[in-house]
């Protein structure tokens, strides 16, 4: 042929479906090994309860006079420290989940790339930037950089699908205190610059 093997129209769809199936399998394994365990459920409940207590205390401190406000601010700080500790425990459990998911998705990736080596699975509607051509055209012969290798499509699909599957199944991690603080700091900055 002189170039990459021709793309079979359904290979791109099959790659995306395999990535979605792999993500479902990984999340199923995570649910059995981590999410359904009493330790994880109780930890999530404790984080939710502590976050609600902190929000309630913040609301109370906003309407309190200055003397009570100082006491409430100390209580908010105490709640933030509690949430940070719980968040660290949750991060430990989520590391286990990420490791399991990575292993499952990597095994599927290895089988898929072995089976489709040198075959274009999709055609990109654009010419990718030069620095992306190695990712999108990896393992394909020829100079037609609109041809897409399985590596790129699978990685992109697996990353995009996994987050949505976690949200749909209710397994997405709760917002951490650090994320909440970052959002509050950004809102304060925008308000100070009168951008809000």
């Amino acid at each position: 042929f002189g170039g990459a093997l021709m793309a079979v129209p359904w290979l791109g769809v099959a790659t995306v479906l395999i990535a979605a199936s792999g993500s479902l399998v990984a999340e199923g394994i995570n649910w059995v090994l981590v999410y359904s365990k009493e330790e994880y459920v109780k930890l999530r409940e404790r984080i939710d309860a502590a976050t609600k207590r902190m929000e309630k205390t913040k609301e109370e401190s906003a309407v309190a006079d200055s003397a009570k406000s100082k006491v409430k601010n100390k209580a908010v700080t105490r709640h933030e420290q509690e949430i940070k500790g719980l968040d660290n425990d949750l991060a430990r459990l989520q590391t286990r989940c990420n490791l399991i998911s990575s292993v499952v998705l990597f095994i599927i990736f290895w089988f898929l790339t072995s089976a489709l080596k040198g075959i274009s699975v999709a055609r990109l509607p654009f010419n990718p930037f030069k620095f992306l051509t190695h990712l999108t055209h990896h393992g394909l012969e020829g100079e037609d950089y609109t041809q897409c290798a399985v590596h790129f499509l699978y990685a992109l699909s697996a990353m995009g699908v996994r987050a949505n599957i976690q949200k749909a199944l209710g397994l997405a991690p709760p917002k951490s205190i650090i994320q909440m603080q970052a959002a509050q700091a950004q809102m304060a900055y925008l308000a100070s610059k009168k951008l809000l």
Side-chain angles (χ1 to χ4, degrees):
F1 287 110
L5 296 174
M6 294 302 292
V8 179
W10 55 269
L11 281 179
V13 174
T15 302
V16 173
L17 290 175
I18 290 170
S21 300
S23 294
L24 275 171
V25 167
E27 290 306 317
I29 292 170
N30 283 337
W31 188 83
V32 169
L33 297 178
V34 177
Y35 296 137
S36 65
K37 300 294 183 189
E38 186 176 340
E39 177 186 11
Y40 181 82
V41 172
K42 285 187 177 183
L43 189 57
R44 286 285 300 254
E45 289 171 355
R46 289 176 59 199
I47 289 173
D48 291 342
T51 303
K52 286 178 184 175
R53 284 193 309 269
M54 183 182 70
E55 292 300 323
K56 183 180 176 186
T57 306
K58 280 184 179 180
E59 290 173 7
E60 291 173 356
S61 70
V63 296
D65 60 10
S66 62
K68 287 185 179 179
S69 180
K70 289 180 183 178
V71 173
K72 294 290 184 183
N73 285 339
K74 286 182 183 180
V76 167
T77 304
R78 200 171 49 247
H79 290 307
E80 287 175 349
Q81 294 300 322
E82 177 188 6
I83 292 172
K84 283 181 186 177
L86 293 171
D87 207 28
N88 288 338
D89 294 340
L90 186 64
R92 181 181 47 80
L93 291 176
Q94 287 174 336
T95 300
R96 193 179 321 161
C97 291
N98 291 336
L99 180 64
I100 293 166
S101 295
S102 298
V103 168
V104 169
L105 293 175
F106 184 75
I107 289 170
I108 294 169
F109 176 77
W110 183 79
F111 280 117
L112 196 60
T113 55
S114 297
L116 298 174
K117 188 174 188 176
I119 299 174
S120 174
V121 296
R123 183 166 292 278
L124 300 173
F126 57 89
N127 268 330
F129 294 113
K130 188 72 174 163
F131 65 92
L132 288 177
T133 56
H134 181 69
L135 296 173
T136 61
H137 201 68
H138 183 76
L140 299 178
E141 295 178 8
E143 298 297 318
D144 184 5
Y145 293 116
T146 60
Q147 291 180 341
C148 182
V150 69
H151 304 83
F152 181 71
L153 187 60
Y154 177 81
L156 200 60
S157 299
M159 286 187 298
V161 168
R162 182 173 179 234
N164 290 321
I165 287 174
Q166 284 180 334
K167 285 180 186 176
L169 297 176
L171 302 175
K175 282 189 175 181
S176 68
I177 186 66
I178 296 167
Q179 290 171 329
M180 290 188 316
Q181 287 176 341
Q184 289 171 350
Q186 185 177 17
M187 295 296 284
Y189 172 77
L190 293 174
S192 70
K193 298 291 182 182
K194 306 215 185 311
L195 297 173
L196 282 180

